[in-house]
Amino acid sequence: MPEQTLDTPQDLALLRLGSLLRERGYRFVTPTPLTHQQVNQRAGNALANDLRDVFGWSRPFATGTLDEDIVALMEQAQVLQPHPQGWISRVRFSSLGEDLYVHSRFPTEDSDAVFFGPDTYRFTRLLRDYLAHAEQPLRRIVDIGCGAGPGAITAAQLRPHAEVMALDINPRALAMTCVNARQAGVHNLRVQHSDLLRDVDGQFDLIVANPPYMLDAQQRTYRHGGGKHGAGLSLAIFDTAMERLAPGGTLLLYTGVAIFAGEDPLLEAIRLSLRDTGWDWDYQEIDPDVFGEELQKPAYAEAERIACVALRLTYQPGQPQRQEKAATNA
């Protein structure tokens, strides 16, 4: 598949819109969907009054709320959508460090919606911590299922001499990653369509991923993890990494898992796969309880909680014994 580039008038207008928001001091930290919904339902929050209301909280706004420069760029970027109460933005902009990332508006109902939220902050913090201590050379880095691009862009910023690839099956995600990469000023990032690593060649020194891990009745790309309890895509990435890591290379997987009767089925599957290898790995809970509202759905009727977890797996061929360091906070 060809490399994705920033070449449409809509993408360029979206880039200029993000730049203008930065110039005006715009910042917004994206909360969970439940928090977002609850805040928007408070009295006085039905309509937007400023930039954060429009591009952060995804509230409708009346004509005249935004100045002409902002509205003109929204029209050019094709993100200005009519609404019964006036207009609404089809995108959000969220802060990550000093950068702004464009992604899908709230609520993220479209099948090709592009995710950004609390998991993004945890994932990139995990990645930054790993890169701060990584000693092995990192020549080729890939982010599988890049979404809005925060993993790949963070890696490109912290390893400017590495070849970094951002992969996704969602064209909308790839387009937004291109905008966000240009906004962040990175030049060593290649954005490309790929189902896992099937459309790219070679081995990688670092594979990172923050895949969807929920069971979604609509099977939206950004949210549905597949498998019995949402771990299908996480396990597919794990299997792919075992085939495509360079010697000494590392998989850094941030994901979620439904816990049943105190047992973590993802951890058990990973233990089984690595039992006879000489690979070094560790597994930890990052947050023991997220998306509690999902437990009300039939798919999670037997689950006691949903946890965010992180796997670090390093390829060490020829070692006589596996060095396992598994830890949970259950």
Side-chain angles (χ1 to χ4, degrees):
M1 297 292 293
E3 180 179 348
Q4 179 88 18
T5 58
L6 192 68
D7 54 7
T8 70
Q10 294 81 15
D11 291 342
L12 292 172
L14 197 57
L15 176 64
R16 290 195 294 271
L17 177 60
S19 297
L20 186 56
L21 290 177
R22 287 188 64 175
E23 290 173 8
R24 298 189 179 184
Y26 172 92
R27 293 188 62 81
F28 186 82
V29 174
T30 298
T32 65
L34 183 59
T35 295
H36 198 133
Q37 180 183 27
Q38 291 176 337
V39 171
N40 275 353
Q41 288 175 345
R42 291 174 180 169
N45 287 349
L47 280 176
N49 295 307
D50 56 26
L51 292 175
R52 293 182 78 252
D53 290 350
V54 172
F55 294 109
W57 292 110
S58 291
R59 295 171 190 163
F61 60 96
T63 299
T65 302
L66 301 181
D67 64 67
E68 294 181 358
D69 291 341
I70 295 287
V71 173
L73 286 173
M74 293 179 72
E75 290 177 333
Q76 293 170 31
Q78 297 182 2
V79 299
L80 185 65
Q81 179 176 312
H83 187 275
Q85 294 173 288
W87 306 92
I88 198 164
S89 173
R90 295 180 61 232
V91 297
R92 281 182 285 177
F93 284 86
S94 291
S95 303
L96 181 61
E98 298 301 315
D99 298 317
L100 282 184
Y101 283 76
V102 64
H103 57 103
S104 295
R105 67 174 296 267
F106 176 85
T108 47
E109 296 173 336
D110 297 338
S111 60
D112 63 346
V114 180
F115 170 82
F116 191 107
D119 274 335
T120 306
Y121 297 106
R122 288 186 283 252
F123 170 53
T124 53
R125 186 163 58 245
L126 178 75
L127 177 56
R128 284 182 175 275
D129 183 66
Y130 171 79
L131 292 174
H133 300 92
E135 297 179 355
Q136 76 273 29
L138 298 176
R139 303 175 187 87
R140 298 191 81 208
I141 302 173
V142 63
D143 181 1
I144 299 177
C146 62
I153 292 170
T154 297
Q157 289 173 323
L158 297 180
R159 289 295 187 275
H161 300 296
E163 174 194 357
V164 182
M165 301 184 70
L167 310 179
D168 209 297
I169 60 172
N170 182 357
R172 193 172 175 189
L174 298 176
M176 288 186 173
T177 294
C178 284
V179 171
N180 292 330
R182 181 75 67 85
Q183 194 77 247
V186 298
H187 303 287
N188 57 324
L189 180 62
R190 178 175 153 201
V191 181
Q192 184 174 325
H193 180 282
S194 182
D195 184 356
L196 300 179
L197 296 178
R198 295 187 182 102
D199 300 311
V200 295
D201 298 323
Q203 296 179 315
F204 295 90
D205 302 301
L206 177 62
I207 298 174
V208 302
N210 173 19
Y213 54 81
M214 306 304 298
L215 282 178
D216 183 45
Q218 301 174 50
Q219 297 193 12
R220 289 165 290 186
T221 303
Y222 82 96
R223 181 175 170 84
H224 188 59
K228 187 175 181 181
H229 295 294
L233 186 53
S234 296
L235 287 171
I237 292 170
F238 169 77
D239 290 339
T240 296
M242 290 189 72
E243 298 173 355
R244 300 289 294 274
L245 282 173
T250 294
L251 165 68
L252 194 64
L253 174 65
Y254 172 94
T255 188
V257 60
I259 306 297
F260 297 86
E263 299 297 325
D264 179 339
L266 177 62
L267 175 58
E268 293 308 311
I270 290 170
R271 274 200 181 114
L272 183 62
S273 294
L274 295 174
R275 182 175 54 189
D276 298 321
T277 72
W279 295 29
D280 176 53
W281 64 286
D282 63 77
Y283 184 102
Q284 60 179 313
E285 284 191 0
I286 302 298
D287 193 322
D289 185 15
V290 296
F291 296 114
E293 66 274 15
E294 296 294 320
L295 300 184
Q296 302 176 23
K297 298 181 179 179
Y300 295 99
E302 302 300 321
E304 60 187 35
R305 59 191 176 92
I306 299 171
C308 289
V309 300
L311 167 69
R312 182 203 53 80
L313 169 68
T314 300
Y315 176 23
Q316 294 184 326
Q319 297 235 350
Q321 291 183 330
R322 168 171 49 86
Q323 301 173 37
E324 178 186 338
K325 297 186 281 290
T328 66
N329 297 323

